[in-house]
Amino acid sequence: MIYLEKFVFPCKDDEFNFFAEVKRECYTTFYPFQVIAPHEKLELDFEPITILYGGNGSGKTTALNVIAEKLKLKRVSVFNQSNFFEDYLKLCICRLEEFVPESSEIITSDDVFDYALNIRHLNQGIDHKREEMFGEYLDSKFAKFQMKSMDDYEKLKQVNQAKSKTQSRYVRDNLISNIRTKSNGENAYKYFIEKITENGVFLLDEPENSLSPEMQLKLKSFIEESARYFGCQIIMATHSPFLLSIEGAKIYDFDSDPVEIKHWYELKNIKTYYNFFSKLDLELYK
């Protein structure tokens, strides 16, 4: 499914003319101005799956944030902005093929990290409460308690529970199970499959972070199926060789000047992996 058909970023002349018009030459930082700034307007045409590839500082994450703000997508984490961000958005042009559903969202690596951190904090709280309940069980089991009024009813129930159950059963029945039943990588993958729902535009910023190669392959399959069967459009910034090889994805190389469309096996990152393992293979068989 294609909702966003085209997005046009301003060129250097557009940016220069804007600042000449508003007479803000005294400023030296204009983020997101001067980050992408091609000599000609940068026009991105989108497929059901489109990938923005490039090294650190190439502008691919900035491009995702600009697209997300222009489309007014939901987001969880804050991102780099400046007083000029709204001005920059006015210079950008987007063409929609379909109305963007409300379920659409930008998902960043910070979102995934915060999600894992929240689970960790919640687990720590559960672990602390569990220790308290061990002591509570022993106090209740051997307590010489007599109910004197209805105010003591809850305490009576606690004492009766402790006397009729083992310590582990008492804790299990009164405390939810620890949520941390999966690794950080598994929880990260779970976060993506819960966030990416049917019929929406989803922008993913380096989703491979926290994922093992095996989990990246699972995410690759999930993204392919989401676009093919569930009406999703995915726009993603990534370095992952596994995600770069997604079937049918259009890849824009932000390391090229100007930005070019390339096959995944033509990218510098993939060639680096290939050369590394080829050299390692030759050394092993000497």
Side-chain angles (χ1 to χ4, degrees), residues 6 30 38 59 63 92 102 142 147 154 177 184 201 221 225:
K6 180 188 289 287
F30 314 111
C92 297
E102 291 184 2
F142 301 105
M147 183 174 174
E154 289 300 321
S177 298
N184 284 342
V201 181
S221 297
E225 291 173 0

Side-chain angles (χ1 to χ4, degrees), residues 39-211:
H39 294 289
E40 303 292 335
K41 291 181 185 291
L42 174 58
E43 299 187 9
L44 303 183
D45 295 304
F46 296 96
E47 300 293 335
I49 302 176
T50 304
I51 296 175
L52 311 184
Y53 163 85
N56 295 332
S58 63
K60 62 186 186 303
T61 294
T62 296
L64 277 187
N65 283 325
V66 168
I67 294 170
E69 290 305 294
K70 188 72 173 180
L71 297 180
K72 302 185 184 305
L73 300 189
K74 293 185 299 183
R75 66 163 61 240
V76 175
S77 300
V78 297
F79 66 105
N80 290 334
Q81 291 195 63
S82 73
N83 293 333
F84 304 108
F85 208 95
E86 290 299 322
D87 295 324
Y88 186 85
L89 292 179
K90 294 174 184 176
L91 300 180
C92 297
I93 301 170
C94 67
R95 183 190 302 162
L96 300 178
E97 191 168 297
E98 298 284 346
F99 178 76
V100 176
E102 291 184 2
S103 60
S104 302
E105 186 169 356
I106 178 171
I107 304 170
T108 70
S109 54
D110 285 344
D111 299 341
V112 179
F113 176 79
D114 289 343
Y115 173 75
L117 194 62
N118 288 338
I119 290 179
R120 185 181 303 171
H121 287 164
L122 183 57
N123 286 331
Q124 289 173 347
I126 292 174
D127 290 339
H128 180 72
K129 183 63 177 176
R130 183 182 291 110
E131 292 298 323
E132 289 183 351
M133 293 193 72
F134 284 145
E136 178 185 289
Y137 169 83
L138 294 175
D139 291 342
S140 298
K141 186 174 183 66
F142 301 105
K144 295 180 180 179
F145 174 78
Q146 289 184 338
M147 183 174 174
K148 297 180 180 179
S149 70
M150 288 302 297
D151 294 336
D152 298 328
Y153 180 67
E154 289 300 321
K155 180 63 177 177
L156 177 63
K157 285 171 57 179
Q158 182 177 311
V159 169
N160 288 338
Q161 274 191 325
K163 291 181 181 295
S164 62
K165 297 178 181 179
T166 63
Q167 186 181 57
S168 60
R169 171 60 66 182
Y170 176 87
V171 172
R172 284 201 303 271
D173 288 351
N174 289 278
L175 183 69
I176 63 173
S177 298
N178 194 305
I179 294 175
R180 189 180 54 216
T181 57
K182 297 181 174 64
S183 68
N184 284 342
E186 289 172 321
N187 281 326
Y189 174 73
K190 179 174 178 286
Y191 185 82
F192 284 110
I193 63 175
E194 288 181 351
K195 283 285 186 177
I196 300 175
T197 56
E198 295 182 23
N199 304 317
V201 181
F202 297 96
L203 276 56
L204 314 180
D205 186 20
E206 298 186 1
E208 66 270 19
N209 292 348
S210 301
L211 297 179

